[in-house]
Amino acid sequence: MRSSEKPPTPGAKLRVFPREGPSFSNPQYAERYKELHRAVFWLLLIAVLANTAPITILPGCPYRIYRLVHLSWMILWYGLFVLGSYWEFVLITTQRVSLDRYLNATESAIYVVHIFSIMLLTWQCRNWAPKVMRNIVRSDIDRAYNIDSNRTKRFIRLHMFLVGIFTCLAIFFNIWTQKCLVYRSILSINSYVMPNIISSISFIQYYLLLQGIAWRQRKLTESLERELFHLHSPRISEVQKIRKHHADLIDFTKVGIENPSMADLAKWLSMLLWLALHVGKVCCILYFNQTIQDEHFRCLTALSRVSCTRNDLQDAITHYIIQMRTNVRQHLVCGVINLDLKFLTSLLVASADFFIFLLQYDVTYEALSKSVQGNVTRNQS
C-alpha cells in the first residue's frame, strides 16, 4: 500500500478505484485501453446492436448524439418486437388448444417484460458502463496484469458459437413446427426465439466479466505462492499488497455485476413473473392430470355400484371395469413423481427443507466470519 494513502475509516464501505483514473494522455493507459477494446470489440458491438449494452461503451461514441441514435434504435426495435408478439398471439396462439394457448400467451408476455427490463438496464448503464472499462484497465496497470487477448477472443468465440448453434436449431425447429409457413415462422421466432438470443448475449457479457476476474485472481494467487513458497523470507509488504488487490477484485465483482439502484424494481418484477410462469405451468399440469384421474375414479365408482341380473349387461360392465383398470394412463414422471395435486405438498416441503438448510448455513457462515474477523482484529491490535 502506498504510504500517501489514508487508512479507511472504521465501518466505512470499501470503494473500488474512487479516482477517475489517468487520462488518455498517459501512453500506457491509452495502449491498455485500446488493447482491451480490441479484445472485446465484436462482443460489445453485437451487444450494442442487440440492446444489451449502451453505445457509450464503444470507443469514440461518448457523445450525446450517439446516445440519442441508440435510444431511437432501442425504441424502434422494441416497438417492432411488441407488435410482432401481438400478431403472433392473435394469429397463432389463439388458434391453439386451451392449455397451450394460456401457457404460450403467458410466456410471450413474460418475454415482453423481460426484454423491456434488459433495455431499461442498458439505458441506465450508459454512464456507468464506460467507467467499468476504465476501472478494469486501471486495475490491470496497478497489478501489472497483461491482457491475454487471444484467450479472451477464444472465450467470446466459444460462447457466441454456442449461441449461434442454439439460434440455428431453434429457428429450424420453429419453421418445422409451423409447417414452413413464412409468416407464422417469422412471428414465432420473433416472440420466442429472439428474446432468448438477446438474454444469451447479455449473459455472455456477465460470463466474460466473471471469467476475467477469475483470471486476474489466479495471477494474484500465483504471485502469492511465489512470495510465500519460493522466497526464503516472504515480504510482508508484498503479501499486504496482494491481499489488498484481492479484496479490490472481490469488491469489484460486486460493483461490476450489481444493477443500478433504479433497476431493482424491474429486476424483481421480472424474477417474480418468471417464477409465476413456471409455477403456473407446474400447477396447470398437475391440475389437469388430477382432473383426468378424478374423472377416471368417478367412472370406476359408478361402474362398481351397478348391480344387474342381465348377463350380457354384466359382461359389458365387467369388461368396462377391466378396461378402466388395465388401460390406465400412467400419470407419473420417470416413474417417480405422481402427477396429482398432492405433489404440490411434497414440493413445498422439499423447498422449505432446502430453504431452512440454506438459512442455517448462512447463519453459521456469518457467525464464523464474524468470529474470524474478530480474531484477526485482535491479533492486529
Side-chain angles (χ1 to χ4, degrees):
M1 297 179 64
R2 299 183 181 89
S3 58
S4 60
E5 292 181 347
K6 297 181 180 179
T9 304
K13 182 180 179 180
L14 288 175
R15 303 287 295 180
V16 181
F17 315 122
R19 310 184 310 271
E20 282 298 320
S23 65
F24 283 96
S25 59
N26 186 327
Q28 183 184 16
Y29 177 83
E31 182 59 32
R32 288 292 187 89
Y33 192 83
K34 292 179 181 178
E35 183 181 1
L36 178 61
H37 263 292
R38 284 195 296 266
V40 299
F41 175 75
W42 288 109
L43 174 61
L44 296 181
L45 180 60
I46 293 172
V48 169
L49 294 176
N51 299 319
T52 61
I55 197 171
T56 52
I57 204 170
L58 294 177
C61 299
Y63 304 109
R64 187 174 182 181
I65 183 64
Y66 292 103
R67 301 182 185 184
L68 294 178
V69 170
H70 194 214
L71 178 61
S72 302
W73 163 247
M74 292 170 65
I75 294 174
L76 175 63
W77 190 95
Y78 186 72
L80 294 175
F81 167 69
V82 173
L83 183 63
S85 298
Y86 169 77
W87 284 113
E88 192 279 336
F89 172 76
V90 172
L91 300 177
I92 301 177
T93 301
T94 54
Q95 307 301 321
R96 298 179 182 272
V97 296
S98 59
L99 180 59
D100 287 342
R101 180 168 66 247
Y102 297 142
L103 294 180
N104 288 357
T106 305
E107 183 178 1
S108 180
I110 294 299
Y111 286 146
V112 170
V113 176
H114 189 197
I115 295 301
F116 177 79
S117 65
I118 290 177
M119 292 186 176
L120 179 64
L121 288 173
T122 298
W123 179 248
Q124 291 176 339
C125 291
R126 62 191 183 278
N127 296 322
W128 169 76
K131 295 180 181 179
V132 174
M133 298 289 289
R134 292 196 293 268
N135 289 341
I136 291 174
V137 174
R138 190 183 307 118
S139 64
D140 288 344
I141 293 176
D142 291 342
R143 297 174 179 83
Y145 178 82
N146 294 321
I147 300 174
D148 192 338
S149 299
N150 293 330
R151 180 174 59 180
T152 302
K153 291 178 180 179
R154 287 196 301 269
F155 182 87
I156 295 173
R157 283 197 297 265
L158 172 62
H159 287 272
M160 291 301 297
F161 175 72
L162 295 176
V163 173
I165 290 179
F166 162 76
T167 302
C168 294
L169 291 176
I171 291 176
F172 170 76
F173 286 114
N174 201 283
I175 295 174
W176 189 6
T177 56
Q178 298 300 332
K179 310 299 182 182
C180 297
L181 295 177
V182 177
Y183 81 94
R184 293 173 66 95
S185 300
I186 293 176
L187 292 176
S188 183
I189 290 171
N190 170 82
S191 299
Y192 301 105
V193 179
M194 192 62 64
N196 286 285
I197 296 174
I198 292 176
S199 63
S200 298
I201 293 175
S202 68
F203 272 111
I204 292 178
Q205 303 167 68
Y206 175 77
Y207 301 152
L208 180 61
L209 174 64
L210 296 183
Q211 184 60 57
I213 293 174
W215 287 333
R216 288 160 175 80
Q217 286 185 329
R218 182 184 303 170
K219 285 293 184 181
L220 287 179
T221 303
E222 292 173 356
S223 300
L224 180 63
E225 289 176 345
R226 285 195 300 269
E227 189 69 31
L228 294 178
F229 303 115
H230 297 283
L231 294 181
H232 178 70
S233 178
R235 296 165 294 181
I236 298 179
S237 60
E238 286 298 315
V239 174
Q240 292 281 44
K241 181 180 178 182
I242 294 173
R243 180 183 67 83
K244 178 181 179 297
H245 288 332
H246 207 110
D248 288 344
L249 274 180
I250 294 175
D251 199 31
F252 178 70
T253 304
K254 292 194 302 181
V255 174
I257 64 177
E258 279 183 348
N259 292 327
S261 57
M262 292 184 64
D264 290 341
L265 179 60
K267 178 190 71 174
W268 285 108
L269 287 178
S270 177
M271 291 174 61
L272 289 175
L273 286 171
W274 274 103
L275 180 63
L277 168 65
H278 293 297
V279 172
K281 288 181 179 179
V282 172
C283 291
C284 287
I285 291 172
L286 296 177
Y287 173 79
F288 292 114
N289 274 280
Q290 180 71 57
T291 303
I292 294 174
Q293 295 180 65
D294 290 342
E295 293 298 327
H296 191 91
F297 179 78
R298 179 184 174 187
C299 183
L300 274 175
T301 303
L303 292 172
S304 301
R305 292 205 310 263
V306 174
S307 60
C308 58
T309 57
R310 292 175 53 188
N311 293 333
D312 55 345
L313 180 58
Q314 186 64 45
D315 290 338
I317 292 175
T318 302
H319 290 152
Y320 200 166
I321 293 175
I322 293 174
Q323 173 186 314
M324 294 291 290
R325 289 179 175 174
T326 58
N327 221 357
V328 180
R329 177 173 178 261
Q330 295 297 318
H331 299 275
L332 297 174
V333 176
C334 299
V336 177
I337 300 174
N338 191 20
L339 292 177
D340 55 27
L341 293 177
K342 295 179 181 178
F343 177 68
L344 286 178
T345 305
S346 303
L347 186 63
L348 291 175
V349 171
S351 301
D353 290 339
F354 183 67
F355 173 78
I356 292 172
F357 165 77
L358 291 179
L359 183 62
Q360 290 174 338
Y361 172 81
D362 184 69
V363 172
T364 305
Y365 176 80
E366 187 72 17
L368 290 175
S369 298
K370 291 182 178 179
S371 176
V372 173
Q373 186 178 3
N375 292 335
V376 171
T377 303
R378 286 193 295 271
N379 292 335
Q380 289 179 348
S381 60

